[in-house]
Amino acid sequence: MENGVVYNETTEPQAKPPRHPLGCTLRHLRQWRRLTKALQAILSLLAVICEEIVEDCIKCGGLYFFEFTSFSAFLLSLLVLCVYCTDAYETFGEDKVQKV
């Protein structure tokens, strides 16, 4: 019992798992789902751009609704890609991601 220490350290500090570059990982989303979500994001952004080209309309209510839905689809598909393809999936946990 030297220096008042009764127990020696018996465990090694846990090594942190290797980090991915920019936090990107592709293992949580299958390839066909990843491609589908990327295509959805591209097409919804294209829809927003095409909607912005329209200069004159008689009844613009439908056009504004289309703009809202296509931009919402763009943002939500980007959110899904960010959650599943970054370290956020491990940070939040699978059960919380599935609930959302």
Side-chain angles (χ1 to χ4, degrees):
M1 191 162 96
E2 297 176 10
N3 299 331
V5 177
V6 179
Y7 298 105
N8 291 334
E9 249 183 79
T10 57
T11 57
E12 295 180 13
Q14 287 184 339
K16 292 185 179 184
R19 298 203 43 107
H20 304 286
L22 300 175
C24 292
T25 178
L26 301 176
R27 67 176 178 252
H28 300 298
L29 212 55
R30 293 186 186 110
Q31 182 178 5
W32 66 271
R33 288 191 72 185
R34 201 171 34 240
L35 292 174
T36 303
K37 284 296 171 189
L39 184 65
Q40 180 183 7
I42 291 168
L43 289 178
S44 58
L45 180 63
L46 182 65
V48 171
I49 292 171
C50 288
E51 186 277 330
E52 290 297 326
I53 293 174
V54 175
E55 292 180 10
D56 296 324
C57 64
I58 297 170
K59 294 185 179 182
C60 298
L63 188 63
Y64 293 145
F65 180 73
F66 177 74
E67 178 184 15
F68 171 75
T69 55
S70 59
F71 192 68
S72 297
F74 173 68
L75 290 179
L76 288 175
S77 59
L78 280 182
L79 177 68
V80 168
L81 283 173
C82 287
V83 168
Y84 279 96
C85 295
T86 61
D87 289 335
Y89 190 84
E90 284 98 13
T91 303
F92 296 132
E94 183 178 356
D95 56 336
K96 290 182 182 177
V97 170
Q98 294 298 328
K99 284 181 186 178
V100 171

